[in-house]
Amino acid sequence: MFKQLRNKKNTREKFRRRKISLFNKADDFHRIFGADVFFVIREKGRYFTYTSTEEFHWPPTKEQIVSL
C-alpha cells in the first residue's frame, strides 16, 4: 500500500513538473518566434490552459480552425 501511495505521489509530481515545463516552452516559443500559442491539458476532469496572448480573438473557435 505504501508503494502505491508513493507511486501516486511520484506520478502527480511528474505531471506537475512536465506541465510547468510545457508552459515555459510555449512561452519561449511565443517570445522567440512571435507565434500565438494556446493549449489545453485535461487530466481527470480538470483543465489547465495556456494562452500566449490576451487578444479577444484568440484562441480561434473550432469552426474557424476547420475553415482554414
Side-chain angles (χ1 to χ4, degrees):
M1 182 167 164
F2 179 71
K3 188 174 184 178
Q4 288 176 332
L5 291 175
R6 189 173 71 203
N7 285 342
K8 188 174 183 178
K9 183 179 179 183
N10 288 344
T11 301
R12 292 293 309 151
E13 182 61 24
K14 187 180 285 189
F15 176 82
R16 187 187 71 79
R17 285 192 315 246
R18 288 191 179 211
K19 181 182 70 167
I20 290 169
S21 176
L22 187 60
F23 283 20
N24 287 336
K25 288 177 188 273
D27 190 56
D28 288 346
F29 198 84
H30 170 68
R31 282 187 288 113
I32 293 170
F33 301 109
D36 290 335
V37 180
F38 173 78
F39 63 84
V40 176
I41 300 171
R42 185 182 73 172
E43 188 233 2
K44 298 179 182 174
R46 295 177 62 197
Y47 291 88
F48 305 92
T49 61
Y50 173 84
T51 305
S52 64
T53 182
E54 295 295 324
E55 295 177 17
F56 70 94
H57 69 279
W58 186 255
T61 64
K62 184 187 263 186
E63 291 79 20
Q64 291 172 323
I65 293 170
V66 171
S67 70
L68 296 175

